[in-house]
C-alpha cells in the first residue's frame, strides 16, 4: 500500500483588504482569518467584515478570531461573516467555545511545556489547538517564534502552529514538527494588516516544498 500523502494546511490571518483576501484564495490557502479584537491593528468592525467575508471562495474557510468575547457578540460575528470556524485567543472555557455549534480553534500561548499539556488537556474537544509564542499582555499575533521542542507529542493531528512564521522558517518548522496546519499573519505583511502578494506566494511555496521533503522521507 502506498503511504498517505501529507499536506500541511495553511491559514492566513488578519485580513483587512479585499485584494489580500482574494490573493489568499487564489493561492489556494485553506482558511483566512478575520480579527475581532479592537486592540489589534488588524481588527475589523462588523460593517467592514461582512463584505470582506463575502469575497471568500467556496473552498476557503472563514475563521473569526476573538479574545474573551461575550456570547452575543460571537453570534453577531457568525451572522455577519458566515464564519465556518471560530478562533478563541483568551481565557474562554471549553463550555463557552462549544456553545455556538461551530468547529473551533483554541489558541494557547507557549510559556512552558507543563502549562501547555495542562491547557491542551482542558481543551481536548477543540477541533484544532493553535500554539503561539507567549508574550505578556499580548494574546496573539506577536511575530515571535517559540521553542518548538515544547510542542507536546500528543497534539499530533490537531496542531496549528503559529508565532513568527514566514517563508524563511516555515519549512524548518514543518520538517521538524509536522503540524497539521500553519498560521501566518505578520510574516506575510509589509505593515500590520497590509499583506504582500509576493510574501504570501513565497510562504505557500515554502510550505509545499517542505511537504514534498517530508513525503519523500516518509515514502
Amino acid at each position: 500500500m502506498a503511504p498517505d500523502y501529507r499536506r500541511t494546511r495553511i491559514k492566513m490571518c488578519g485580513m483587512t483588504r479585499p485584494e489580500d483576501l482574494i490573493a489568499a484564495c487564489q493561492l489556494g490557502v485553506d482558511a483566512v482569518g478575520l480579527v475581532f479584537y479592537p486592540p489589534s491593528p488588524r481588527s475589523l468592525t462588523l460593517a467592514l467584515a461582512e463584505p470582506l467575508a463575502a469575497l471568500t471562495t467556496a473552498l476557503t474557510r472563514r475563521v473569526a478570531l476573538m479574545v474573551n468575547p461575550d456570547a452575543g457578540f460571537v453570534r453577531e460575528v457568525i451572522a455577519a461573516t458566515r464564519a465556518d470556524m471560530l478562533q478563541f485567543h483568551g481565557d474562554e472555557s471549553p463550555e463557552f467555545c462549544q456553545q455556538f455549534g461551530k468547529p473551533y480553534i483554541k489558541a494557547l500561548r507557549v510559556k512552558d511545556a507543563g502549562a501547555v499539556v495542562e491547557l491542551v488537556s482542558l481543551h481536548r474537544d477543540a477541533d484544532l489547538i493553535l500554539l503561539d509564542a507567549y508574550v505578556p499582555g499580548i494574546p496573539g499575533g506577536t511575530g515571535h517564534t517559540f521553542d518548538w521542542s515544547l510542542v507536546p507529542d500528543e497534539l499530533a493531528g490537531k496542531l496549528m502552529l503559529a508565532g513568527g512564521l514566514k517563508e524563511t522558517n516555515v519549512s524548518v518548522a514543518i520538517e521538524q514538527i509536522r503540524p497539521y496546519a500553519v498560521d501566518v499573519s505578520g510574516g506575510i505583511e509589509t505593515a500590520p494588516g497590509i499583506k504582500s502578494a509576493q510574501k504570501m506566494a513565497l510562504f505557500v511555496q515554502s510550505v509545499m516544498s517542505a511537504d514534498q521533503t517530508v513525503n519523500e522521507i516518509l515514502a
Side-chain angles (χ1 to χ4, degrees):
M1 175 181 283
D4 292 336
Y5 179 79
R6 190 186 179 288
R7 183 177 74 83
T8 305
R9 275 65 174 179
I10 300 172
K11 174 174 168 279
M12 291 186 172
C13 200
M15 294 291 164
T16 64
R17 305 189 303 170
E19 58 265 41
D20 297 338
L21 188 145
I22 291 169
C25 292
Q26 289 175 339
L27 287 167
V29 304
D30 300 277
V32 290
L34 306 175
V35 176
F36 298 92
Y37 178 58
S40 169
R42 305 174 183 91
S43 186
L44 298 169
T45 62
L46 292 178
L48 290 173
E50 187 168 3
L52 191 62
L55 297 173
T56 309
T57 53
L59 294 180
T60 303
R61 285 184 143 189
R62 295 174 291 269
V63 181
L65 186 160
M66 289 161 277
V67 182
N68 295 324
D70 63 56
F73 181 67
V74 176
R75 294 189 178 94
E76 289 179 5
V77 168
I78 292 171
T81 64
R82 294 179 295 121
D84 300 296
M85 295 189 77
L86 304 175
Q87 182 171 328
F88 296 109
H89 268 260
D91 302 314
E92 302 88 0
S93 68
E95 294 74 21
F96 181 89
C97 298
Q98 293 165 12
Q99 68 179 295
F100 305 103
K102 293 283 184 180
Y104 76 93
I105 302 165
K106 186 65 185 81
L108 306 175
R109 297 184 294 161
V110 179
K111 189 174 184 180
D112 59 71
V116 172
V117 169
E118 181 179 348
L119 288 169
V120 168
S121 176
L122 177 65
H123 288 278
R124 60 184 177 275
D125 292 326
D127 294 88
L128 292 171
I129 295 291
L130 183 148
L131 295 186
D132 199 353
Y134 177 87
V135 175
I138 303 178
T142 65
H144 296 283
T145 57
F146 63 90
D147 183 356
W148 295 330
S149 69
L150 296 177
V151 175
D153 292 337
E154 57 265 37
L155 269 184
K158 295 182 67 170
L159 171 62
M160 176 176 277
L161 185 66
L165 295 179
K166 57 188 71 174
E167 74 272 11
T168 55
N169 66 5
V170 68
S171 58
V172 176
I174 290 171
E175 291 167 24
Q176 179 177 328
I177 302 174
R178 301 179 186 177
Y180 175 80
V182 290
D183 189 21
V184 64
S185 184
I188 52 172
E189 292 180 338
T190 57
I194 308 300
K195 308 303 186 196
S196 160
Q198 181 181 20
K199 287 176 179 284
M200 293 164 74
L202 288 172
F203 188 88
V204 171
Q205 290 171 17
S206 294
V207 172
M208 294 175 66
S209 176
D211 282 346
Q212 182 176 351
T213 297
V214 170
N215 282 297
E216 287 173 354
I217 292 171
L218 295 176

